[in-house]
Amino acid sequence: DVVMTQSPLSLPVTLGQPASISCRSSQSLVYSDGNTYLNWYQQRPGQSPRRLIYKVSDRDSGVPDRFGGSGSGTDFTLRISRVEAEDVGVYYCMQGTHWPPTFGGGTKVEIK
Amino acid sequence: EVQLVESGGGLVQPGGSLRLSCAASGFTFSSFWMYWVRQAPEKGLAWVSRIDSAGSTINYADSVKGRFTISRDNAKNTLFLEMNSLTAEDSAVYYCARATLGTLDVWGQGTTVTVSS
């Protein structure tokens, strides 16, 4: 199975400041159709996961544009340009290129 | 509104059984593959099982193979997970999720399964 490694484990951030989460895969996530199926999910406290980003950088409807995804191959990043209080939670990357789908271990974003 | 609502979780003794349901609305359920994903307490996410739109292609994680059965009723827009021979390691929040190519785009709110004597 493809191993997804996220860092850091915990990310204390000051309100209004940027945040960055890294996700690395043990194999390239480029699919045979040329797409890269790397997703980012947000899980707020007590809630279910919500997809924020798919195919590396496509934002879901309703997701604020302060969230952005980038990367290629095996190295990916989720950036929050200016952290707000509602962004507190755990963020997971998930690859859907190789069977079975696998998740990173999560990064907990908290306010300093 | 696209929605998935799980039910059927609860407290069960080791060796017991539970049947989870996931009611879908707001989209053409019969057109989508569906997944069950679980999250053990204070842990990450892990896929459990998936089923294709017609119910003919099914996969299970090794940890549940032979004990769990996924199924669906497209006429009733409902996904199921029959869980037998439960152990403490199966204690988790179970989510159903809608799948499209390379992604799980819609998740339910989850139902909690606790296996304990």
Side-chain angles (χ1 to χ4, degrees), chain A residues 1 8-9 11-12 22 25 30 35 41 43 52 59 61 63 73 81 84 90 97-98 104 107:
Chain A
D1 296 1
L9 201 62
L11 185 56
S22 170
S25 58
V30 180
N35 288 310
Y41 296 88
Q43 187 173 33
L52 298 176
R59 235 182 350 261
S61 174
V63 173
S81 59
E84 297 189 6
V90 181
T97 296
H98 303 281
T107 295

Side-chain angles (χ1 to χ4, degrees), chain B residues 11-57:
Chain B
L11 175 63
V12 61
Q13 292 190 338
S17 299
L18 274 178
R19 190 192 200 203
L20 307 184
S21 299
C22 168
S25 59
F27 65 100
T28 306
F29 177 71
S30 60
S31 296
F32 289 86
W33 289 61
M34 296 295 295
Y35 276 67
W36 286 100
V37 177
R38 69 184 179 183
Q39 185 172 34
E42 304 304 316
K43 299 290 186 183
L45 300 161
W47 82 281
V48 172
S49 182
R50 71 168 181 177
I51 186 169
D52 76 339
S53 56
S56 55
T57 298

Side-chain angles (χ1 to χ4, degrees), chain A residues 31 33 37 39 41 43 47-49 51 54 60 92 94-97 99-101 103-105, chain B residues 35 37 39 43-47 50 59-60 95 100-110:
Chain A
Y31 190 53
D33 64 2
Y37 294 105
N39 307 274
Y41 296 88
Q43 187 173 33
Q47 295 187 14
S48 60
R51 194 181 69 175
Y54 58 99
D60 268 276
Y92 295 94
M94 185 205 95
Q95 68 82 21
T97 296
W99 175 255
F103 296 87
Chain B
Y35 276 67
V37 177
Q39 185 172 34
K43 299 290 186 183
L45 300 161
W47 82 281
R50 71 168 181 177
N59 300 99
Y60 298 101
Y95 298 100
T100 56
L101 182 57
T103 190
L104 301 176
D105 62 346
V106 180
W107 295 59
Q109 88 288 349

Side-chain angles (χ1 to χ4, degrees), chain A residues 49-85:
Chain A
R50 165 201 180 196
R51 194 181 69 175
L52 298 176
I53 303 281
Y54 58 99
K55 286 194 290 184
V56 180
S57 59
D58 289 343
R59 235 182 350 261
D60 268 276
S61 174
V63 173
D65 60 7
R66 64 178 181 274
F67 288 94
S70 63
S72 63
T74 62
D75 201 347
F76 305 93
T77 302
L78 176 70
R79 290 187 176 86
I80 310 173
S81 59
R82 295 172 307 280
V83 171
E84 297 189 6

